[in-house]
Amino acid sequence: MLKTGKLLRLRRLSPAGDDRYLLVPLDHSVSDGPIVPADKWDDLLRALVTGGADGIIVHKGRAGAFTPDILGSCALVVHLSASTARAGDVHAKVLVADVEEALRLGADAVSVHVNIGSDTEAQQLADLGAVARSCDAWGMPLIAMVYPRGPRIEDPRDPDLLAHLTNVAADLGADMVKTSVALPLDRMAEVVANSPIPVLAAGGPPDDSDLVEYATAVMATGCRGLAIGRRIFSSPSPGPLVSRLAGVVHGGDGTLGDMGMTADTAGTTSTTSPTSQTPNYSTIVAGVA
């Protein structure tokens, strides 16, 4: 029964049925402060749902604050970890909720953040293991957000390091892992190939380069999904942007449909040749969602 419960919840995370995922993290209000005015939250959620987001990631209080039916077919992921930008150690994550609370809120999955290389890595790993046990007991999918951050990390984009991190997530019981993108970007394929569980690419390019083009290049490396927050909720048109990203994630080949269509973040659409060169992102550092 519990195994069936987890499988049902995992299916709700990918309503297209293709085991690909477009998640929008909205937990930044704890780490950094408000992401939209309080009276605009429902509007943002409706835009994300209408645009085709597969799931949103929020903290427990936020999950209990919006209208229950606002998500429709969009999955709810409750984030269990927290820290703020004003902490003495911004890389130290602590558990602020548990699986049982997430279940009472109707969550389809939970997520836990671990910073490998931080001063508190040991406690964060212990927390991930404890949450994994609860998830196994309750049939709850677990997304591990594992990043190389802290004083012991020299190159956070090192493919070998990121491959290690994805295996940490898998070995401690996660069902999928959200992590940084390797550089050069084509080496992200090595990270994916070495991961026993689906890899979700975190964030997008921090500059003004085209987010949809970048997402297309990332998905072409074999990632099973995207987890993009800031570049979506700070967009003047988050709904249309999510719709274009959903086309990338669920198009299967990194395109919007079968006509070689791509779209930029400004909302215009153009036709490109199927043989167009993938942009060189070797000098771009992907931001954190």
Side-chain angles (χ1 to χ4, degrees):
M1 245 179 103
L2 294 177
K3 183 177 180 182
T4 299
K6 175 174 278 196
L7 291 174
L8 287 173
R9 293 184 178 98
L10 284 169
R11 185 173 299 173
R12 287 198 290 269
L13 286 170
S14 181
D18 57 2
D19 294 327
R20 291 180 174 225
Y21 312 89
L22 175 58
L23 304 182
V24 183
L26 301 172
D27 55 298
H28 304 67
S29 48
V30 168
S31 56
D32 301 319
I35 61 174
V36 292
D39 62 350
K40 299 297 184 184
W41 258 90
D42 282 2
D43 292 340
L44 173 61
L45 291 175
R46 289 191 181 95
L48 299 178
V49 172
T50 301
D54 294 321
I56 62 162
I57 303 174
V58 295
H59 283 282
K60 61 181 181 180
R62 193 73 61 176
F66 50 73
T67 307
D69 61 356
I70 198 169
L71 293 184
S73 62
C74 182
L76 171 64
V77 181
V78 174
H79 195 40
L80 307 186
S81 306
S83 70
T84 76
R86 293 165 177 78
D89 180 0
V90 296
H91 301 305
K93 297 291 181 178
V94 297
L95 290 181
V96 292
D98 57 36
V99 175
E100 289 81 0
E101 288 177 290
L103 281 166
R104 288 194 292 272
L105 289 165
D108 299 293
V110 296
S111 57
V112 173
H113 187 136
V114 175
N115 287 323
I116 298 296
S118 68
D119 289 336
T120 58
E121 174 190 303
Q123 183 58 54
Q124 293 178 52
L125 288 174
D127 289 342
L128 177 60
V131 170
R133 284 194 298 274
S134 291
C135 285
D136 186 58
W138 289 105
M140 176 71 81
L142 172 59
I143 303 170
M145 302 181 181
V146 188
Y147 300 104
R149 294 179 186 166
R152 295 158 191 82
I153 301 300
E154 295 182 4
D155 179 7
R157 303 294 169 176
D158 175 29
D160 292 333
L161 174 60
L162 292 171
H164 181 189
L165 267 57
T166 63
N167 279 264
V168 168
D171 289 341
L172 295 187
D175 297 289
M176 60 186 75
V177 56
K178 171 189 174 216
T179 195
S180 305
V181 174
L183 290 180
L185 192 147
D186 58 4
R187 293 199 63 190
M188 192 64 185
E190 300 171 27
V191 178
V192 173
N194 282 292
S195 176
I197 57 178
V199 176
L200 309 182
D207 55 14
D208 293 330
S209 53
D210 187 281
L211 178 60
V212 178
E213 272 191 345
Y214 176 81
T216 301
V218 169
M219 290 298 294
T221 67
C223 288
R224 292 274 286 280
L226 306 171
I228 301 174
R230 198 180 311 276
R231 283 289 296 264
I232 289 176
F233 64 69
S234 63
S235 166
S237 302
L241 178 55
V242 166
S243 180
R244 295 191 292 276
L245 291 170
V248 172
V249 171
H250 296 295
D253 57 357
T255 62
L256 300 181
D258 298 323
M259 299 300 293
M261 302 297 286
T262 62
D264 61 25
T265 54
T268 58
T269 308
S270 60
T271 303
T272 61
S273 166
T275 59
S276 297
Q277 293 294 315
T278 299
N280 180 7
Y281 290 101
S282 61
T283 60
I284 294 179
V285 178
V288 175

